[in-house]
Amino acid sequence: MVTVTVVDRNGISRRVDLQGSDSLMLALRDEAGFEIAGECGGFCICGTCHVYIARSEQAAFSPPSEEESELAAFLQHYGPDSRLACQIPLASVPEGLTIHIAPEE
C-alpha cells in the first residue's frame, strides 16, 4: 500500500491509500474513484489517463517509453510534468507522491 496526494480537476486535494492494482491508472480510477476514463484499458493508445507528476518526483519511475512520449506530446494539456498513469506501475509509486489529474481532453 502507498499513500499519495491527488489533486483532482477541480483543484481539490485528497490523500488516498492505493493498493492491489497493476498500474497507477487502475488504482486512481478503480480504487480511489477519481474521474479517469482509461478508455483503452491501459494500452497507451488514448491518453485519457493523463496526469502531472513533478519532474523532480519522476526519478522513482522508469522514463516514459517512446510510445508514451509520442502519445503524450499530442495531448492538448501536455507539459513537462505529463505522464500517462497507465504506464506507471503502482509498485514503483513512492510514498507521499503528489499527482495532479490533467484537464479532460
Side-chain angles (χ1 to χ4, degrees):
M1 179 172 62
V2 62
T3 302
V4 299
T5 299
V6 181
V7 181
D8 69 17
R9 290 185 177 114
N10 296 316
I12 298 170
S13 178
R14 186 174 78 173
R15 288 182 58 83
V16 295
D17 295 326
L18 304 175
Q19 64 183 3
S21 293
D22 291 334
S23 71
L24 179 59
M25 186 249 335
L26 292 174
L28 291 173
R29 184 187 71 186
D30 298 345
E31 292 178 39
F34 287 97
E35 292 183 32
I36 293 179
E39 291 176 4
C40 71
F43 291 101
C44 196
I45 57 174
C46 71
T48 60
C49 64
H50 184 200
V51 296
Y52 301 121
I53 299 172
R55 291 186 66 112
S56 61
E57 296 188 278
Q58 289 188 28
F61 312 122
S62 298
S65 66
E66 184 176 333
E67 181 179 46
E68 179 184 355
S69 294
E70 288 176 2
L71 176 60
F74 283 104
L75 297 173
Q76 178 181 359
H77 302 286
Y78 173 79
D81 296 339
S82 291
R83 288 299 305 260
L84 298 181
C86 70
Q87 299 301 295
I88 299 175
L90 186 59
S92 70
V93 173
E95 185 73 23
L97 180 70
T98 298
I99 302 157
H100 294 258
I101 299 176
E104 199 166 10
E105 293 291 322

